Amino acid sequence: MMQTRRHFMASSAAATALLGFLPRQAMATVSFETLEAMSASVQLAPDGYPATDIWGYGGTAPGPILRVAQGGRLQRRFVNSLPQASSIHWHGIRIDNAMDGVPGLTQAAVEPGDGFDYDFTLPDAGTYWYHSHNRSTEQVARGLHGALIVEEGTPPDVDREEVFVLDDWLIDPETGQIPDDFESPHARSHAGRMGNLILTSGIFDKTMTVQRNERLRLRLINAANARIFVLGLIGLEGWTMALDGMPLPAPEPLDEVLVLGPGQRADLIVDVTAEEGGTAYLARANEARGAPQVTFQVRGQASLARRGVPDALPPNPGHVIDLSGDSVNLTLNMEGGAMGGLREAMFNGEQVGFRELAQANQFWAFNGMVGMPDSPMATLDRGQIVRLTISNDTAFPHAMHLHGMHFREVLTDNTLGPMRDTLLMDSSERREIAFAADNPGDWLLHCHMLSHAASGMMTWVRVT
Ligand code: C2O
Ligand code: CU
């Protein structure tokens, strides 16, 4: 089941020089701690391969883990030392709209050499992340993302906590560089831009030492442009405690696989059950023979026996979705892509055929509209309950992300699923979600397969 060190060469890509980098510019004196987006050279590929030029917050990829206490405030001066305009989106945070980081909707893109003060409170504990929201197919792929952890007042009783940012990088094995093919029509019209080097928090073959019966909290974040991670435990046993930051009402035994679409997160509590001297894995199960995502070498014993089932994490305050009263019913039909049969759609105010769309490197439509519309798909009164039926009439899965508010899936028996901010939908599925429109502002709704968002799958709602 081992992935070989050469494995990632399987799909090699054309070597392309990176863009020239602008000189760093002097910044005005600021009071907030800075979070600087900058270029850097890091060793992503295994030893023996060249280093890779990345764009990272603080010059690392992923960026620094930001930790804030629940109810606390995050204040950072974003400094853009990249050769492109950028912005930061705080994914999954019930945030003040002006801080949501969406150029053209909630702020202007931050030009090279400029800065922007992000300053907001964090009402919900959980595992979140931050990433560029400008030209994100390129900027997130170059490394502009990091973990944002909001800590509970009373943390669960575990021996240690690990944050694992799961990502796949597309790297030319000859040069170590990221090919400049971010607008590839094939990636846009198919499953999205896939990498050939799968890393955990920037490390290939991440390995750590643990003790038998040690209890770990694992915070998993899928930061990939398009890859769906299907994960299983070997020599570890545990529970899913939270999804997309939000605690489950009760720990759910993780007996089978955990599926994380792009943008999604999970908090696990796992016990090391492998024998001393043995090896345990967080493993990817969706590859031919499986492959280790993280390897745990079991050395020594933390205690003689496993502990009992952990208590649920404390619920976050004030997320109420009551379906018994009035609701606004909306539908979102997703169409397009390769093998999708989309004939025509509205693009830039005109009805155009699929061939012209493809020539414009656009492939996907929401309710017959390609790309970000000038007006919202719905204007909602604050507090309204919204039921949104999403139909995936395409040949590909999509990871639908709503900014600013979590939702629950309305299951077939009319019960509600867990709170989420990103819904992974398979081809041909029709699913319904419900949310309380309780956060005023303009909120994006888009596919988190970033090539799809860039080629049509983007809309927004307004909460007044
Ligand atoms: Cu994590 Cu609009 O994105
Ligand atoms: Cu998609």
Side-chain angles (χ1 to χ4, degrees):
M1 70 164 278
M2 284 297 151
Q3 182 186 33
T4 68
R5 293 197 164 256
R6 301 255 152 199
H7 177 87
F8 90 94
M9 292 183 66
S11 74
S12 108
T16 312
L18 287 180
L19 299 167
F21 296 112
L22 293 186
R24 300 261 294 279
Q25 298 186 6
M27 302 303 304
T29 333
V30 291
S31 47
F32 290 174
E33 211 180 306
T34 59
L35 189 57
E36 182 180 3
M38 58 200 283
S39 55
S41 174
V42 299
Q43 188 66 39
L44 292 178
D47 292 345
Y49 288 96
T52 303
D53 292 331
I54 59 133
W55 291 351
Y57 297 111
T60 63
I65 298 175
L66 304 179
R67 285 186 182 269
V68 191
Q70 182 172 16
R73 197 158 177 166
L74 187 84
Q75 297 178 311
R76 283 291 183 288
R77 178 161 183 87
F78 169 55
V79 173
N80 183 6
S81 301
L82 304 171
Q84 282 177 6
S86 193
S87 71
I88 305 181
H89 170 57
W90 312 88
H91 182 124
I93 303 296
R94 204 155 34 137
I95 202 168
D96 172 2
N97 192 240
M99 296 289 128
D100 199 40
V102 180
L105 193 67
T106 68
Q107 69 169 93
V110 181
E111 294 299 327
D114 281 352
F116 186 91
D117 288 333
Y118 288 101
D119 180 4
F120 52 92
T121 53
L122 296 116
D124 300 310
T127 301
Y128 302 94
W129 63 303
Y130 62 100
H131 61 80
S132 158
H133 217 295
N134 197 45
R135 301 177 59 139
S136 26
T137 314
E138 171 171 4
Q139 294 192 4
V140 174
R142 288 195 191 274
L144 290 166
H145 56 78
L148 170 55
I149 306 301
V150 186
E151 291 172 332
E152 300 91 5
T154 317
D157 179 26
V158 296
D159 297 315
R160 80 161 95 168
E161 173 179 311
E162 296 290 339
V163 178
F164 293 146
V165 179
L166 314 179
D167 195 7
D168 63 337
W169 294 72
L170 185 57
I171 301 234
D172 182 326
E174 300 301 320
T175 62
Q177 300 310 317
I178 302 169
D180 185 11
D181 66 343
F182 305 104
E183 297 183 0
S184 148
H186 187 272
R188 285 187 168 198
S189 59
H190 290 72
R193 188 174 182 279
M194 299 289 171
N196 53 3
L197 175 64
I198 300 180
L199 304 182
T200 302
S201 302
I203 294 167
F204 182 72
D205 249 354
K206 168 100 178 154
T207 301
M208 53 198 298
T209 303
V210 294
Q211 294 181 301
R212 180 169 157 83
N213 291 330
E214 192 175 356
R215 175 162 280 187
L216 321 175
R217 178 189 199 160
L218 305 181
R219 296 180 182 267
L220 310 180
I221 300 169
N222 182 352
N225 273 40
R227 181 175 297 270
I228 298 166
F229 283 86
V230 181
L231 301 163
L233 303 177
I234 299 170
L236 304 169
E237 284 179 40
W239 301 265
T240 304
M241 304 300 292
L243 292 169
D244 295 352
M246 295 292 165
L248 300 181
E252 219 165 77
L254 183 54
D255 303 326
E256 293 179 12
V257 292
L258 172 73
V259 180
L260 285 184
Q264 293 186 318
R265 290 90 61 215
D267 285 51
L268 310 181
I269 286 184
V270 300
D271 296 338
V272 179
T273 53
E275 298 295 331
E276 274 188 73
T279 312
Y281 301 95
L282 175 68
R284 291 193 301 279
N286 51 339
E287 287 170 30
R289 293 161 63 219
Q293 182 71 34
V294 179
T295 302
F296 301 90
Q297 285 169 340
V298 187
R299 302 285 177 267
Q301 179 162 279
S303 61
L304 283 175
R306 281 184 72 182
R307 303 182 218 189
V309 179
D311 292 335
L313 298 172
N316 284 318
H319 289 276
V320 182
I321 301 171
D322 177 5
L323 291 187
S324 64
D326 287 347
S327 60
V328 186
N329 296 300
L330 304 173
T331 54
L332 183 72
N333 295 321
M334 314 163 79
E335 295 174 285
M339 302 164 285
L342 176 69
R343 293 200 183 170
E344 52 172 31
M346 280 297 273
F347 178 53
N348 286 341
E350 272 178 73
Q351 195 70 18
V352 296
F354 191 74
R355 182 173 307 194
E356 292 99 295
L357 285 175
Q359 276 161 5
N361 211 6
Q362 297 291 312
F363 296 97
W364 309 91
F366 283 167
N367 291 341
M369 295 258 289
V370 175
M372 186 69 175
D374 293 334
S375 48
M377 81 166 260
T379 299
L380 306 162
D381 292 335
R382 187 172 184 182
Q384 264 176 340
I385 299 294
V386 181
R387 297 179 68 148
L388 171 63
T389 301
I390 308 177
S391 298
N392 180 2
D393 300 324
T394 80
F396 294 92
H398 300 287
M400 291 299 294
H401 172 47
L402 176 65
H403 285 212
M405 291 160 287
H406 275 63
F407 53 79
R408 291 181 190 270
E409 183 165 1
V410 183
L411 303 169
T412 42
D413 58 359
N414 237 4
T415 59
L416 293 171
M419 304 227 55
R420 301 220 65 150
D421 60 43
T422 305
L423 178 75
L424 181 62
M425 293 189 65
D426 224 330
S427 171
S428 304
E429 272 187 338
R430 168 193 293 257
R431 315 243 305 254
E432 185 182 11
I433 61 171
F435 63 96
D438 51 11
N439 196 0
D442 294 341
W443 303 109
L444 277 191
L445 173 61
H446 66 90
C447 180
H448 223 288
M449 279 127 177
L450 300 172
S451 302
H452 294 172
S455 58
M457 292 197 139
M458 180 97 79
T459 189
W460 57 293
V461 298
R462 169 167 287 165
V463 180
T464 57

